[in-house]
Amino acid sequence: MTVSTVKLPLRKTGSASTSPIYRTEHQRDVINRLKRIEGQVRGLIDMVEDGRSCEEVAQQMSAARKAMDKAFYRMMATSVMEAVSASESEVHTFREVERSTRILEKYA
């Protein structure tokens, strides 16, 4: 999957908080985060090729990992916010939050 194909869930409702603009802003945020991470990884490759110290490389790897975690949690938070605000019923809300919880448990 390429960065340009990352899709956050979209619920079709009239709610302002789940409007396409809301979704587009959060999708753009996740994509921008991933592009920054891509740059960090390219920088890491250069550091290894240049023979930089293990500690310097490790520090930058840690930063890239944390950035990836933040992008993941941002995507999941958006998914949960949309599920709650666009819910048609309490049962639907519960199912959507439970789905997000399973994703968090599996990948976080």
Side-chain angles (χ1 to χ4, degrees):
M1 178 184 320
T2 64
V3 172
S4 62
T5 62
V6 172
K7 300 292 182 199
L8 298 176
L10 175 62
R11 307 278 185 253
K12 299 207 186 259
T13 68
S15 170
S17 64
T18 59
S19 70
I21 292 171
Y22 169 85
R23 181 192 183 286
T24 301
E25 288 173 9
H26 290 281
Q27 183 178 11
R28 189 176 315 121
D29 178 48
V30 170
I31 289 169
N32 288 339
R33 289 171 187 265
L34 292 171
K35 286 180 179 181
R36 281 192 299 273
I37 294 164
E38 180 181 37
Q40 286 178 296
V41 172
R42 276 195 303 267
L44 277 163
I45 292 167
D46 291 342
M47 289 176 76
V48 171
E49 289 176 343
D50 294 344
R52 301 281 290 271
S53 76
C54 183
E55 185 170 0
E56 289 176 304
V57 174
Q59 182 181 27
Q60 291 306 309
M61 283 182 174
S62 176
R65 246 190 343 268
K66 288 177 184 176
M68 184 65 85
D69 285 343
K70 287 181 180 182
F72 171 76
Y73 289 121
R74 176 50 135 175
M75 179 186 71
M76 292 307 302
T78 300
S79 177
V80 171
M81 288 187 291
E82 287 182 357
V84 170
S85 65
S87 180
E88 298 151 6
S89 69
E90 285 186 30
V91 172
H92 184 261
T93 299
F94 180 79
R95 285 185 186 143
E96 289 299 311
V97 171
E98 183 64 27
R99 181 187 61 80
S100 293
T101 301
R102 282 193 303 275
I103 292 170
L104 284 167
E105 289 171 344
K106 187 173 183 178
Y107 298 107

